[in-house]
Amino acid sequence: MLNAIDRREFLMGLAAAGGAAVLAAGSRTAAAAAPVAVPRARNVVLVHGAYADGSCWVEIIPRLQQAGLNVTAVQNPLQSLAEDCAFTQRVLDLQDGPTVLVGHSYAGEVITQTGVHPKVSALVYCSARAPDADEDYTALAKTYPTPPASAGVVHAGGYAWLGEEAFLRDFAGDVDPAKARVLYAVQGRVSDALFTAKVTQAAWRSKPSFYQVSAQDRTINPDLQRFMTRRMGAKTIELPSSHLGIVSHPQEIAALILQAAGAA
């Protein structure tokens, strides 16, 4: 794990490497990984995280469709990691060729586990968990300062969700408040047992991987995101966004997905 000085030196070195990896105005490179060779994909499968549902991709989907890609958004039950992976597996089975698998937040675990599917050509992580096989992600996260959103989680009846204040401020801080309230209303209810399981395989070790870091994230610590993307050796962009960069910065993230699809 990098200490503060090592992280600063690492990022300074990357900055010196130039901005060629920046995919759109307003984004900046967080990691200067070597160019990633990816096969041309015609399908994209999007997997939402906890405290969300498939509508969180509403700004991304039309941009990918306009580029000629077939797009499917999975609706996670959020009861268990195994069940969420099963839902994604079924969607992947139905794809007709190379497919980019994209996960936001908690769904990083889902795509890490299911991304070994033979139809998956590349992985894209959006402010997402990226554990290694059999790694205790909760323990890893605790080695970094606790993000503010954690204090806003409400528990009742074996389920959890984000309270409205925490959702608007810490989850969707740079999203228009009217739109953020809609997303708050449709957020999933997460089983208290959802985060206890570990992935048993890490697809990012064998598949080309891309990562979008949210520099103003108050749900997953940005330094933890930087550690995970560095460990993965992923092609990375960093955006001045909240945890919901997929809503507030859709152009840049769509461009990253297009690059992962070999279409950029």
Side-chain angles (χ1 to χ4, degrees):
M1 186 175 299
L2 299 175
N3 59 33
I5 294 176
D6 290 337
R7 288 193 191 96
R8 184 164 59 250
E9 291 177 349
F10 176 67
L11 293 173
M12 288 175 62
L14 294 175
V22 175
L23 302 180
S27 65
R28 66 183 180 83
T29 305
V36 179
V38 293
R40 185 68 178 262
R42 56 178 173 267
N43 308 301
V44 176
V45 171
L46 306 168
V47 190
H48 69 81
Y51 319 126
D53 80 344
S55 64
C56 66
W57 299 107
V58 70
E59 302 293 341
I60 300 285
I61 291 171
R63 288 172 166 82
L64 300 179
Q65 291 174 331
Q66 288 165 12
L69 294 173
N70 173 50
V71 185
T72 307
V74 178
Q75 292 284 30
N76 287 325
L78 301 176
Q79 300 299 299
S80 70
L81 176 61
E83 186 176 22
D84 290 343
C85 288
F87 270 57
T88 296
Q89 177 84 24
R90 286 196 288 272
V91 171
L92 290 172
D93 289 342
L94 295 171
Q95 303 307 302
D96 63 358
T99 302
V100 176
L101 184 58
V102 185
H104 172 247
S105 192
Y106 149 75
E109 294 192 19
V110 177
I111 71 171
T112 294
Q113 180 73 19
T114 61
V116 297
H117 193 289
K119 291 182 180 178
V120 174
S121 56
L123 303 165
V124 180
Y125 293 78
C126 302
S127 311
R129 300 179 175 209
D132 206 346
D134 300 313
E135 181 174 55
D136 186 337
Y137 175 84
T138 300
L140 173 64
K142 286 181 178 178
T143 63
Y144 291 82
T146 302
S150 298
V153 177
V154 180
H155 294 271
Y159 291 88
W161 61 95
L162 275 177
E164 184 170 9
E165 182 179 357
F167 191 100
L168 298 179
R169 181 189 61 216
D170 302 324
F171 192 75
D174 62 345
V175 176
D176 175 80
K179 183 180 294 185
R181 287 189 177 92
V182 172
L183 296 171
Y184 163 76
V186 301
Q187 71 171 301
R189 294 307 189 255
V190 177
S191 167
D192 282 340
L194 185 68
F195 300 137
T196 61
K198 299 177 183 178
V199 301
T200 59
Q201 49 198 5
W204 51 262
R205 288 196 170 276
S206 59
K207 299 291 178 79
S209 298
F210 298 74
Y211 198 107
Q212 174 261 316
V213 174
S214 290
Q216 298 175 11
D217 203 315
R218 293 168 63 87
T219 301
I220 294 181
N221 189 296
D223 282 336
L224 173 56
Q225 295 179 41
R226 295 177 185 118
F227 165 76
M228 290 185 291
T229 189
R230 175 180 178 271
R231 178 173 68 174
M232 294 164 64
K235 182 66 173 293
T236 306
I237 62 169
E238 183 164 322
L239 301 173
S241 66
S242 71
H243 193 57
L244 276 183
I246 57 175
V247 178
S248 61
H249 290 75
Q251 180 176 340
E252 295 94 324
I253 295 174
L256 183 66
I257 295 170
L258 288 171
Q259 185 174 2

